[in-house]
Amino acid sequence: MPGRILIADSVPTSRITMKVMLNAACYDVFMTSSADDVLHNAATKRPDLIIVDTDLGDTGAAGVCDLLKADPTLTHIPVAVVGPDDNEHRLAALRAGAEAYFAKPVDSIELRARVRALLRVAATADELTRREQTAREMGFTETQTPYEPQARVILAANKVDDAVKLRGTLRGLIHADIEVVRRDLLLHSMRTSQETDVIVISSEFDNPNEDMRLLSDIRGYSETRHAAIVALHPEGKKPDALVALDLGANDIMAQCRDPEELALRLRSLIRRKREADRLRDTIDRSLRMASIDPLTGLYNRRYALPYLERLASEAIETKAPFAVMIVDIDKFKSVNDRYGHSVGDAVLVEVARRLRDKLRPQDLVARIGGEEFLIALPATTLGSAQRTAERIRREVCATPATLSDKGQPVTVSISIGLAMCTDMPHCEASVSTLIDIADMALYTSKAEGRNQVTLGKTAA
């Protein structure tokens, strides 16, 4: 489902120009012209991103940022500011908590690249918040604020002297343990030391392919997957650096910019990263014993059902359709009968891993029965849900799930029942009906030969 973006600008032509740029990328865009309307729309329509012009009445963009970040129910929504190409306005926006700043005239390529990066952050934050709220509704609450160690930042550059100079300019501007490493030793350094909050990579972008491989490697390792990444680039290499945003970088910045600007960007990234870490820790600590299936590591039925209720309630507010799938391993009993329960357990674990790996971070997969799984896809279209279902079906049966004790490959397939909730006023009351529809569609998949996806009728 495309992201929902709120544009706030007092000049109609500016609003429309920005909307046209974003509509071309199929985003769901709505507009307003005053600071009061920004807060009202943020609270009622729950946008995934807010873009504010610096010239927005007496409040201004910085004032709007201050108000949004002061509201605990809205602070997680990323804010981008549009304004003049000067240091004063840029720093004012970042000091107020904006995650991005677009200099006028706005470049459409940069706009889309940064919007995609910001929407990824928003999707992860929304999902973590939703899971924490579900945990609270189940009776698990945080009893104390955990101690947070000093933030850790790694500066990586081809020339260590350059990174050392940068560290010197940042000291006094940011409270963090800043480590300098040579770029070719970055991955080794991160995998052999304590957890890193932000990685700043300074590159000349003379070999963009090498830079992109490094970003992919950072995101691929479990030790560094959640670290924020900033790519520093020469002034003339912004187009190359923009590609980094789509490969996992959270932010990009020209190397010659004011050190205070980098410090402000780092503070924002550290804050968001620490908040995400806290939510993950809360979920892991509070829910693992009560709501995690011990065999597969997936959520269980006890967690999945209240989660789905919350998802339906949010869908009514945002008018964003969502999908539910019921997945069943075909002829699983014959696997246990032929190879034994230890092999059956191995199959369950591997199927669970393949399901999880082929879904977005904001999607939910839970084991709700012996060989039955539930998948929830927030904010998704019918076409996207069908493509996802087909992708995971192919992934499961493409290669053997495990080997038997005698070394025989054990290959299984899955059947999937898919249901969509698109009638928003009835979603919340129809969660059980939606599951029933997906269940009936699953039975149809089984009856018509297994190893297929069947779409049930629309829930209402």
Side-chain angles (χ1 to χ4, degrees), residues 112-126:
R112 292 186 193 180
R114 286 193 180 274
V115 164
R116 288 191 293 268
L118 290 170
L119 290 178
R120 286 199 306 270
V121 171
T124 300
D126 285 346

Side-chain angles (χ1 to χ4, degrees), residues 91-327:
L91 292 179
L94 294 173
R95 288 181 190 128
E99 278 82 4
Y101 186 90
F102 299 112
K104 296 179 179 179
V106 177
D107 177 75
S108 63
I109 295 176
E110 178 181 1
L111 174 67
R112 292 186 193 180
R114 286 193 180 274
V115 164
R116 288 191 293 268
L118 290 170
L119 290 178
R120 286 199 306 270
V121 171
T124 300
D126 285 346
E127 177 58 17
L128 288 171
T129 300
R130 187 184 297 121
R131 293 186 184 190
E132 184 189 43
Q133 290 170 337
T134 301
R136 291 183 183 278
E137 289 174 358
M138 293 172 65
F140 303 104
T141 58
E142 185 90 20
T143 57
Q144 60 181 0
T145 302
Y147 165 76
E148 285 193 352
Q150 181 170 274
R152 181 168 183 260
V153 176
I154 290 182
L155 303 180
N158 289 329
K159 298 178 182 178
V160 173
D161 289 347
D162 293 341
V164 170
K165 290 177 183 177
L166 181 57
R167 178 173 62 183
T169 62
L170 288 173
R171 282 180 171 164
L173 296 174
I174 182 172
H175 183 63
D177 176 21
I178 304 175
E179 179 183 347
V180 169
V181 301
R182 209 172 66 201
R183 226 187 78 140
D184 57 345
L185 299 177
L186 175 60
L187 292 175
H188 176 75
S189 175
M190 289 186 301
R191 299 192 71 182
T192 57
S193 56
Q194 68 190 68
E195 184 176 356
T196 302
D197 292 297
V198 185
I199 304 159
V200 181
I201 304 173
S202 182
S203 173
E204 297 305 310
F205 281 87
D206 291 330
N207 187 348
N209 289 335
E210 182 181 332
D211 293 303
M212 302 315 155
R213 279 195 296 271
L214 178 60
L215 288 172
S216 297
D217 287 339
I218 292 171
R219 286 290 176 242
Y221 292 131
S222 59
E223 297 92 336
T224 57
R225 184 168 297 145
H226 299 303
I229 303 173
V230 180
L232 301 183
H233 61 88
E235 189 67 45
K237 294 291 184 74
K238 179 186 277 190
D240 293 324
L242 286 172
V243 180
L245 293 172
D246 285 326
L247 290 179
N250 300 83
D251 203 354
I252 64 170
M253 180 179 148
Q255 293 164 346
C256 60
R257 287 276 178 79
D258 189 331
E260 184 184 355
E261 179 182 344
L262 177 57
L264 289 168
R265 292 178 185 273
L266 291 177
R267 288 180 202 168
S268 176
L269 291 171
I270 290 169
R271 176 182 61 81
R272 279 198 173 271
K273 196 261 184 184
R274 288 293 176 88
E275 177 67 12
D277 288 346
R278 185 189 68 77
L279 287 172
R280 287 189 191 92
D281 290 345
T282 298
I283 294 166
D284 289 345
R285 190 166 50 250
S286 301
L287 299 183
R288 183 153 297 278
M289 294 302 294
S291 61
I292 299 295
D293 172 50
L295 176 63
T296 63
L298 300 179
Y299 289 109
N300 60 18
R301 177 183 288 271
R302 181 184 180 189
Y303 178 88
L305 296 183
Y307 171 95
L308 203 55
E309 296 283 353
R310 173 164 293 279
L311 181 59
S313 178
E314 291 179 2
I316 294 172
E317 292 182 8
T318 62
K319 295 182 173 58
F322 67 95
V324 173
M325 300 181 203
I326 304 295
V327 180

